Each structure stands twice: as structure tokens, then as C-alpha cells.
Amino acid sequence: RAWICCVLEFKNRQRVVMGPGYTELFFWDEACALAAGHRPCFECRRADALAFAFAWSGEAVRATAPQMDRDLAKARAEGPWICDAAPEGAMVALPEGPALVAQGALHLWSPDGYGASQPLPRRLRVLTPRPICTVLARGYRPQMGLNA
């Protein structure tokens, strides 16, 4: 149930990719992982996970991993949603493909990275699950491989 976003290297550990216990997925950056419904790992990305959990709850008491995992499972099942404004770091669907909301504009994603900026449309089909958009709106800043 825990869909987590980890770092590629941690304490010199060596894993067999697609070995027992985990299904490894590799994303362009954290914004893409968040759009897929993953959250930062509490072991290898502790500081990010704590910041994410506090932004999740919006209070002095942080959200727990099991609580976030339950809510994210439900949100992933709901799929994309429509809104007038998505927060910085969210991914949206355009006719041309997925795009990142960053620096007040959209940046079309491709396997080669993000493209040049283009204006934000009035209505957006948001790929990033709602609870994660709330976290982004509360100030959590994902790592973005923006090359535009």
C-alpha cells in the first residue's frame, strides 16, 4: 500500500531491481512521482517526508504514513480532476501530453525532460492527486527536473 519516492543511492545499499519486497519505478523527478500518487520515503528522504507530512496535516501534528497511504490509495482510484488553478509542482494533462505547473507556466513533459514554458489555460485537468495538490498548495516544494 505504501507508494513511496526514494533516492537512488542510500547508505551504499545495493538492491536487485525488481527483486523481492519492492516494485521499483523510476520517474523523471519528484513532481512526476507525486503525480503518480507516491509520497516521500521516511527512511531515505526523512526531511522531505517530514515536511510533506506536516504540510499534509496543515497542523503542528504531522500526518502518519498509514493515514497518507490510505488517503492516497483512494485519491489514485478517483483519477484526474478539473480545476481552475493547480499549485506549483502539480502535473496536468494537455492534448499534447502531461505538463508541469512551474514558474507560473506550463512545461510539457517528454522522456527528454520538460519543454519551454507556455501559458496556463483557464481550466486544468490535474493528474496529481487532490491530497498531494493540497500539500503543494501548503508550501511543499518537490524536486523538479525543469530544464526550460
Side-chain angles (χ1 to χ4, degrees):
R1 182 175 271 196
W3 290 26
I4 56 175
C5 178
C6 297
V7 294
L8 293 176
E9 294 182 27
F10 183 67
K11 295 184 177 181
N12 291 322
R13 292 182 185 169
Q14 299 292 316
R15 290 190 35 81
V16 174
V17 176
M18 301 305 279
Y22 293 94
T23 302
E24 286 88 353
L25 301 174
F26 297 90
F27 295 97
W28 181 259
D29 60 11
E30 186 181 11
C32 290
L34 294 177
H38 296 247
R39 62 168 174 78
C41 174
F42 273 98
E43 184 176 8
C44 67
R45 298 187 57 213
R46 185 123 185 110
D48 292 332
L50 288 170
F52 187 90
F54 278 110
W56 182 286
S57 68
E59 302 170 5
V61 177
R62 73 173 171 88
T64 66
Q67 171 193 357
M68 292 186 289
D69 293 341
R70 279 190 304 275
D71 292 349
L72 284 172
K74 183 190 290 185
R76 285 190 300 267
E78 292 169 359
W81 50 288
I82 306 297
C83 74
D84 291 330
E88 179 96 358
M91 297 290 289
V92 301
L94 300 176
E96 311 92 279
L100 172 69
V101 176
Q103 303 165 351
L106 287 178
H107 303 267
L108 194 63
W109 179 90
S110 81
D112 296 322
Y114 294 105
S117 66
Q118 53 186 285
L120 286 164
R122 289 183 49 91
R123 300 284 286 169
L124 297 165
R125 185 169 179 247
V126 183
L127 300 172
T128 304
R130 286 179 196 257
I132 293 177
C133 282
T134 299
V135 168
L136 296 172
R138 289 178 177 159
Y140 181 80
R141 291 293 169 250
Q143 298 168 14
M144 295 182 275
L146 191 60
N147 57 356

